[in-house]
Amino acid sequence: MCGIAGIISRKQINNTTDILNKMISVQKHRGPDSNGKKILLHNNWEIGLGHTRLSIIDLSTNASQPMTDTRTLNTICYNGEVYNYSRLRSEIQEESEWKSNSDTEVILKGYNQWGIECLQKIRGMFAFSIWDNQRKTLILARDQFGIKPLYFYYKENQFIYSSEIRSLLSSELIPRRLSEQGLESYLEFGSVISPNTIIEDIYSLMPGEYLEIKLGDSLDIRKESFRDNKTSKEKEIILKTYSETSKDLFNILRDSVSSHLMSDVPLGVFLSGGIDSSTIVALMHETSKKPINTFSVVFEQKKYTENIFAKQIARKYRTNHSEILLSENEILKMTPEALDSMDQPTMDGVNTYVISKAVKKAGITVALSGLGADELFAGYSSFSRISKLKYLKYIPKISKKLLYKLAHLLFENSSNKMKAFEFLESNPNIYSLYKISRQLLNSNDRQGLLPSIKQSGTSYIIEGYANENDFDQVNLMSELEMHGYMTNTLLRDTDFMSMSNSLEVRVPFVDKEVYNFASQIPGKWKIKDRRLKSILIDSMSNLIPDEIKNRKKMGFTLPFDQWLRTSLRRNVDEVLIGAKEKQEKLGLSPEKISEIWRSYLSSSSDSFWSRPWALFVLIHWCDKNGVEYNC
């Protein structure tokens, strides 16, 4: 796991070496073990390739990057893990000798043999650049789920890319202007929706996409997708009975977990005691004879602690279990560090920073996470609401509007109830159900916050779905969760919060083989007998205790509602009440921000805390990174 950076520019316009050094230095946390750079020349162009390395596979210097193939002179800078690299290596017919045992070299030689089609063969997480020396073309590619990030900026025959936005900003070639579209989507969902970022003119390469930048008289840039259309699958499965399908699912999950265990450094598991992390531990026990290292963060407040269930799994599988007890003071001391680790503002992610820091401190370099199971196997409450959609069409439109207005009067201090009535007032379908369930601030609040911006709205309609009635409703919601919330919030937050601690996090549920199989399982089997994630739970048979199977879902959360009213109140007050000039520089209305903050403080409901917190994070991040709004 690493960080990559690069620049293409006209000769003598910029000091390419200095710029590359800055971009590498800013993301040293992504690769503290070593770094490297290479400057290539072609006609009037300079091509700078940079890399920081966190050594995971083949710890020798033979695997250092940028790595150049001696036969083709193609050069790669790579961030990620290829879990099927041993099989791919055996398929590559390469005349020259291998100089390392790394997956990096497998991608490089795989590109030599198969060209861009090598992307279809990779099973893993990746973001990389390859300089094709013969074609004088730079290739940028990102894995199909967007597990690893890749951002770029292009203007006036200058192209810059990096694993982090702050790395791009350090080049001092990019204006630090707030993106209007990025800001709108952040206020709507609590994270910026790709391909936009929070910075104007910096874009995210989308999951499953690649760029070809060909060097001629000017830069010729072409973007393509290597991911199959979302409505088709790489391999069609033969539908069997529920029981047989659950057994097949078990085998596919076991294979994925087994492939994710490759490592030449210490490896562990985030064990919360929920279904997802317990499944990972159980499958590790099935596939590996090595001792399993499990880690749980334990809080003083019992309301937020799942250690009873985590201990139960640890005992069952005799893991080397570590409970990391963190006091409120310790976590609050980490909060400024977590804020400084955000590559983009997000309303979430502090919890991931806390556990990543603790696990890294325990000597672990690679950790497995259960992220992705809720999206693939219907683990959120929104999935259980799908069955009610068909009844809403019978409610007269005028009744819906009256109910919505009444809700404003009765439930203005309950965001969940207000969301329910807002959904009722909308055109009730799978898209509005998803969008409203993930909404941070409604359209009225967003308009109040951004009075000078005409709201464009954010579409969550995934390309390839013309009519929702043509698709399995549960699986359609799963697609929306996978390519929306998971990509733009969970995976992004996990990457920069873990990598800020030089910890690699792997996600066996977010795997191309698992996805291909799970997306073809009938949705009704994922919510069988009104049980969320039913087929996942049943696939594990007796490997997970009934107490864990039947327990109420509990996310890994921190007591922010309590802290915002006590320990953090003074800090948040200073930003949301006292920093009006900073708010105005972002195009935000200080009056509306004050209203949202005071409304939260006067409410007894804890469902509102994410709204003022998201505003605090946004203003803090922009101030720290010198970002302003510019019409």
Side-chain angles (χ1 to χ4, degrees), residues 271-273 296 298 306-317 319 321 323 548:
L271 178 59
S272 68
S296 297
V298 181
E306 303 176 88
N307 64 317
I308 296 173
F309 302 104
K311 281 181 178 178
Q312 192 173 358
I313 288 293
R315 284 195 299 268
K316 181 176 176 66
Y317 293 108
T319 71
H321 188 59
E323 282 193 348
I548 293 176

PDB file of all heavy atoms in Angstrom, residues 271-273 296 298 306-317 319 321 323 548:
ATOM      1  N   LEU A 271     -12.359  -6.399  14.825  1.00  0.00           N
ATOM      2  CA  LEU A 271     -13.442  -7.252  15.315  1.00  0.00           C
ATOM      3  C   LEU A 271     -14.376  -6.445  16.203  1.00  0.00           C
ATOM      4  O   LEU A 271     -14.035  -6.114  17.341  1.00  0.00           O
ATOM      5  CB  LEU A 271     -12.881  -8.453  16.086  1.00  0.00           C
ATOM      6  CG  LEU A 271     -13.910  -9.398  16.702  1.00  0.00           C
ATOM      7  CD1 LEU A 271     -14.825  -9.984  15.632  1.00  0.00           C
ATOM      8  CD2 LEU A 271     -13.212 -10.520  17.480  1.00  0.00           C
ATOM      9  N   SER A 272     -15.564  -6.143  15.680  1.00  0.00           N
ATOM     10  CA  SER A 272     -16.532  -5.382  16.466  1.00  0.00           C
ATOM     11  C   SER A 272     -17.449  -6.284  17.267  1.00  0.00           C
ATOM     12  O   SER A 272     -17.984  -5.895  18.292  1.00  0.00           O
ATOM     13  CB  SER A 272     -17.373  -4.505  15.532  1.00  0.00           C
ATOM     14  OG  SER A 272     -18.206  -5.318  14.732  1.00  0.00           O
ATOM     15  N   GLY A 273     -17.647  -7.515  16.769  1.00  0.00           N
ATOM     16  CA  GLY A 273     -18.613  -8.406  17.397  1.00  0.00           C
ATOM     17  C   GLY A 273     -19.918  -8.450  16.636  1.00  0.00           C
ATOM     18  O   GLY A 273     -20.880  -9.102  17.057  1.00  0.00           O
ATOM     19  N   SER A 296     -10.342  -5.000  19.138  1.00  0.00           N
ATOM     20  CA  SER A 296     -11.600  -4.310  19.408  1.00  0.00           C
ATOM     21  C   SER A 296     -11.313  -3.060  20.222  1.00  0.00           C
ATOM     22  O   SER A 296     -10.523  -3.101  21.174  1.00  0.00           O
ATOM     23  CB  SER A 296     -12.564  -5.206  20.193  1.00  0.00           C
ATOM     24  OG  SER A 296     -12.911  -6.346  19.454  1.00  0.00           O
ATOM     25  N   VAL A 298     -12.650  -0.536  22.888  1.00  0.00           N
ATOM     26  CA  VAL A 298     -13.622  -0.556  23.984  1.00  0.00           C
ATOM     27  C   VAL A 298     -13.725   0.842  24.570  1.00  0.00           C
ATOM     28  O   VAL A 298     -12.716   1.469  24.893  1.00  0.00           O
ATOM     29  CB  VAL A 298     -13.206  -1.558  25.080  1.00  0.00           C
ATOM     30  CG1 VAL A 298     -14.246  -1.585  26.199  1.00  0.00           C
ATOM     31  CG2 VAL A 298     -13.026  -2.952  24.492  1.00  0.00           C
ATOM     32  N   GLU A 306     -19.157  -3.019  22.135  1.00  0.00           N
ATOM     33  CA  GLU A 306     -19.652  -4.343  21.743  1.00  0.00           C
ATOM     34  C   GLU A 306     -18.700  -5.443  22.200  1.00  0.00           C
ATOM     35  O   GLU A 306     -18.689  -6.520  21.624  1.00  0.00           O
ATOM     36  CB  GLU A 306     -19.791  -4.398  20.219  1.00  0.00           C
ATOM     37  CG  GLU A 306     -20.681  -3.335  19.614  1.00  0.00           C
ATOM     38  CD  GLU A 306     -20.699  -3.387  18.100  1.00  0.00           C
ATOM     39  OE1 GLU A 306     -21.515  -4.124  17.546  1.00  0.00           O
ATOM     40  OE2 GLU A 306     -19.883  -2.685  17.481  1.00  0.00           O
ATOM     41  N   ASN A 307     -17.924  -5.176  23.235  1.00  0.00           N
ATOM     42  CA  ASN A 307     -16.847  -6.099  23.582  1.00  0.00           C
ATOM     43  C   ASN A 307     -17.337  -7.479  24.032  1.00  0.00           C
ATOM     44  O   ASN A 307     -16.620  -8.471  23.898  1.00  0.00           O
ATOM     45  CB  ASN A 307     -15.941  -5.491  24.654  1.00  0.00           C
ATOM     46  CG  ASN A 307     -16.656  -5.250  25.967  1.00  0.00           C
ATOM     47  OD1 ASN A 307     -17.792  -4.771  25.994  1.00  0.00           O
ATOM     48  ND2 ASN A 307     -16.000  -5.586  27.067  1.00  0.00           N
ATOM     49  N   ILE A 308     -18.558  -7.579  24.562  1.00  0.00           N
ATOM     50  CA  ILE A 308     -19.081  -8.887  24.986  1.00  0.00           C
ATOM     51  C   ILE A 308     -19.153  -9.834  23.787  1.00  0.00           C
ATOM     52  O   ILE A 308     -18.752 -10.995  23.869  1.00  0.00           O
ATOM     53  CB  ILE A 308     -20.484  -8.734  25.623  1.00  0.00           C
ATOM     54  CG1 ILE A 308     -20.391  -7.913  26.903  1.00  0.00           C
ATOM     55  CG2 ILE A 308     -21.105 -10.094  25.904  1.00  0.00           C
ATOM     56  CD1 ILE A 308     -21.731  -7.580  27.508  1.00  0.00           C
ATOM     57  N   PHE A 309     -19.642  -9.328  22.661  1.00  0.00           N
ATOM     58  CA  PHE A 309     -19.788 -10.158  21.466  1.00  0.00           C
ATOM     59  C   PHE A 309     -18.436 -10.408  20.800  1.00  0.00           C
ATOM     60  O   PHE A 309     -18.182 -11.505  20.283  1.00  0.00           O
ATOM     61  CB  PHE A 309     -20.746  -9.474  20.487  1.00  0.00           C
ATOM     62  CG  PHE A 309     -22.103  -9.205  21.075  1.00  0.00           C
ATOM     63  CD1 PHE A 309     -22.463  -7.928  21.476  1.00  0.00           C
ATOM     64  CD2 PHE A 309     -23.010 -10.249  21.241  1.00  0.00           C
ATOM     65  CE1 PHE A 309     -23.707  -7.679  22.024  1.00  0.00           C
ATOM     66  CE2 PHE A 309     -24.270 -10.003  21.785  1.00  0.00           C
ATOM     67  CZ  PHE A 309     -24.613  -8.723  22.179  1.00  0.00           C
ATOM     68  N   ALA A 310     -17.576  -9.414  20.804  1.00  0.00           N
ATOM     69  CA  ALA A 310     -16.242  -9.593  20.236  1.00  0.00           C
ATOM     70  C   ALA A 310     -15.464 -10.658  21.008  1.00  0.00           C
ATOM     71  O   ALA A 310     -14.789 -11.509  20.416  1.00  0.00           O
ATOM     72  CB  ALA A 310     -15.483  -8.267  20.253  1.00  0.00           C
ATOM     73  N   LYS A 311     -15.580 -10.626  22.321  1.00  0.00           N
ATOM     74  CA  LYS A 311     -14.907 -11.633  23.151  1.00  0.00           C
ATOM     75  C   LYS A 311     -15.423 -13.036  22.847  1.00  0.00           C
ATOM     76  O   LYS A 311     -14.667 -14.007  22.861  1.00  0.00           O
ATOM     77  CB  LYS A 311     -15.127 -11.317  24.635  1.00  0.00           C
ATOM     78  CG  LYS A 311     -14.242 -10.222  25.195  1.00  0.00           C
ATOM     79  CD  LYS A 311     -14.544 -10.023  26.681  1.00  0.00           C
ATOM     80  CE  LYS A 311     -13.655  -8.977  27.306  1.00  0.00           C
ATOM     81  NZ  LYS A 311     -13.981  -8.757  28.731  1.00  0.00           N
ATOM     82  N   GLN A 312     -16.717 -13.125  22.592  1.00  0.00           N
ATOM     83  CA  GLN A 312     -17.317 -14.429  22.306  1.00  0.00           C
ATOM     84  C   GLN A 312     -16.714 -15.042  21.038  1.00  0.00           C
ATOM     85  O   GLN A 312     -16.377 -16.235  21.010  1.00  0.00           O
ATOM     86  CB  GLN A 312     -18.834 -14.265  22.146  1.00  0.00           C
ATOM     87  CG  GLN A 312     -19.597 -15.578  22.136  1.00  0.00           C
ATOM     88  CD  GLN A 312     -21.102 -15.358  22.156  1.00  0.00           C
ATOM     89  OE1 GLN A 312     -21.576 -14.230  22.208  1.00  0.00           O
ATOM     90  NE2 GLN A 312     -21.856 -16.446  22.108  1.00  0.00           N
ATOM     91  N   ILE A 313     -16.567 -14.229  19.998  1.00  0.00           N
ATOM     92  CA  ILE A 313     -15.949 -14.717  18.763  1.00  0.00           C
ATOM     93  C   ILE A 313     -14.471 -15.033  18.982  1.00  0.00           C
ATOM     94  O   ILE A 313     -13.947 -16.039  18.493  1.00  0.00           O
ATOM     95  CB  ILE A 313     -16.121 -13.678  17.638  1.00  0.00           C
ATOM     96  CG1 ILE A 313     -17.570 -13.635  17.174  1.00  0.00           C
ATOM     97  CG2 ILE A 313     -15.201 -13.971  16.459  1.00  0.00           C
ATOM     98  CD1 ILE A 313     -18.047 -14.890  16.468  1.00  0.00           C
ATOM     99  N   ALA A 314     -13.788 -14.165  19.724  1.00  0.00           N
ATOM    100  CA  ALA A 314     -12.356 -14.376  19.993  1.00  0.00           C
ATOM    101  C   ALA A 314     -12.126 -15.696  20.734  1.00  0.00           C
ATOM    102  O   ALA A 314     -11.176 -16.427  20.438  1.00  0.00           O
ATOM    103  CB  ALA A 314     -11.805 -13.204  20.794  1.00  0.00           C
ATOM    104  N   ARG A 315     -12.982 -15.981  21.696  1.00  0.00           N
ATOM    105  CA  ARG A 315     -12.861 -17.247  22.445  1.00  0.00           C
ATOM    106  C   ARG A 315     -13.156 -18.446  21.544  1.00  0.00           C
ATOM    107  O   ARG A 315     -12.458 -19.461  21.597  1.00  0.00           O
ATOM    108  CB  ARG A 315     -13.799 -17.253  23.645  1.00  0.00           C
ATOM    109  CG  ARG A 315     -13.335 -16.407  24.820  1.00  0.00           C
ATOM    110  CD  ARG A 315     -14.113 -16.734  26.081  1.00  0.00           C
ATOM    111  NE  ARG A 315     -15.537 -16.475  25.922  1.00  0.00           N
ATOM    112  CZ  ARG A 315     -16.124 -15.322  26.240  1.00  0.00           C
ATOM    113  NH1 ARG A 315     -15.397 -14.327  26.751  1.00  0.00           N
ATOM    114  NH2 ARG A 315     -17.424 -15.152  26.056  1.00  0.00           N
ATOM    115  N   LYS A 316     -14.198 -18.325  20.736  1.00  0.00           N
ATOM    116  CA  LYS A 316     -14.613 -19.437  19.873  1.00  0.00           C
ATOM    117  C   LYS A 316     -13.490 -19.838  18.913  1.00  0.00           C
ATOM    118  O   LYS A 316     -13.251 -21.027  18.681  1.00  0.00           O
ATOM    119  CB  LYS A 316     -15.864 -19.047  19.080  1.00  0.00           C
ATOM    120  CG  LYS A 316     -16.390 -20.143  18.154  1.00  0.00           C
ATOM    121  CD  LYS A 316     -17.694 -19.698  17.487  1.00  0.00           C
ATOM    122  CE  LYS A 316     -18.185 -20.743  16.491  1.00  0.00           C
ATOM    123  NZ  LYS A 316     -18.586 -22.017  17.148  1.00  0.00           N
ATOM    124  N   TYR A 317     -12.774 -18.832  18.390  1.00  0.00           N
ATOM    125  CA  TYR A 317     -11.739 -19.122  17.404  1.00  0.00           C
ATOM    126  C   TYR A 317     -10.323 -18.943  17.954  1.00  0.00           C
ATOM    127  O   TYR A 317      -9.353 -18.939  17.199  1.00  0.00           O
ATOM    128  CB  TYR A 317     -11.970 -18.261  16.155  1.00  0.00           C
ATOM    129  CG  TYR A 317     -13.242 -18.672  15.453  1.00  0.00           C
ATOM    130  CD1 TYR A 317     -14.372 -17.869  15.478  1.00  0.00           C
ATOM    131  CD2 TYR A 317     -13.331 -19.904  14.820  1.00  0.00           C
ATOM    132  CE1 TYR A 317     -15.547 -18.266  14.850  1.00  0.00           C
ATOM    133  CE2 TYR A 317     -14.496 -20.316  14.198  1.00  0.00           C
ATOM    134  CZ  TYR A 317     -15.607 -19.503  14.225  1.00  0.00           C
ATOM    135  OH  TYR A 317     -16.779 -19.905  13.621  1.00  0.00           O
ATOM    136  N   THR A 319      -8.480 -16.565  19.084  1.00  0.00           N
ATOM    137  CA  THR A 319      -7.654 -15.531  18.455  1.00  0.00           C
ATOM    138  C   THR A 319      -6.757 -14.866  19.497  1.00  0.00           C
ATOM    139  O   THR A 319      -7.014 -14.941  20.702  1.00  0.00           O
ATOM    140  CB  THR A 319      -8.530 -14.455  17.788  1.00  0.00           C
ATOM    141  OG1 THR A 319      -9.158 -13.666  18.806  1.00  0.00           O
ATOM    142  CG2 THR A 319      -9.581 -15.066  16.886  1.00  0.00           C
ATOM    143  N   HIS A 321      -6.504 -11.931  20.949  1.00  0.00           N
ATOM    144  CA  HIS A 321      -7.428 -10.804  21.000  1.00  0.00           C
ATOM    145  C   HIS A 321      -6.896  -9.686  21.877  1.00  0.00           C
ATOM    146  O   HIS A 321      -6.426  -9.914  22.986  1.00  0.00           O
ATOM    147  CB  HIS A 321      -8.789 -11.263  21.528  1.00  0.00           C
ATOM    148  CG  HIS A 321      -9.849 -10.205  21.434  1.00  0.00           C
ATOM    149  ND1 HIS A 321     -10.221  -9.629  20.241  1.00  0.00           N
ATOM    150  CD2 HIS A 321     -10.615  -9.609  22.397  1.00  0.00           C
ATOM    151  CE1 HIS A 321     -11.172  -8.745  20.457  1.00  0.00           C
ATOM    152  NE2 HIS A 321     -11.422  -8.695  21.750  1.00  0.00           N
ATOM    153  N   GLU A 323      -8.081  -5.973  23.435  1.00  0.00           N
ATOM    154  CA  GLU A 323      -9.068  -4.935  23.686  1.00  0.00           C
ATOM    155  C   GLU A 323      -8.332  -3.629  23.949  1.00  0.00           C
ATOM    156  O   GLU A 323      -7.463  -3.565  24.814  1.00  0.00           O
ATOM    157  CB  GLU A 323      -9.938  -5.278  24.891  1.00  0.00           C
ATOM    158  CG  GLU A 323     -11.010  -6.299  24.610  1.00  0.00           C
ATOM    159  CD  GLU A 323     -12.039  -6.367  25.724  1.00  0.00           C
ATOM    160  OE1 GLU A 323     -11.795  -5.793  26.810  1.00  0.00           O
ATOM    161  OE2 GLU A 323     -13.073  -7.010  25.515  1.00  0.00           O
ATOM    162  N   ILE A 548     -25.020 -13.591  18.333  1.00  0.00           N
ATOM    163  CA  ILE A 548     -24.519 -12.573  17.414  1.00  0.00           C
ATOM    164  C   ILE A 548     -25.418 -12.474  16.179  1.00  0.00           C
ATOM    165  O   ILE A 548     -25.696 -11.378  15.682  1.00  0.00           O
ATOM    166  CB  ILE A 548     -23.058 -12.878  17.025  1.00  0.00           C
ATOM    167  CG1 ILE A 548     -22.160 -12.718  18.252  1.00  0.00           C
ATOM    168  CG2 ILE A 548     -22.583 -11.977  15.876  1.00  0.00           C
ATOM    169  CD1 ILE A 548     -20.726 -13.086  18.042  1.00  0.00           C
TER     170      ILE A 548
END
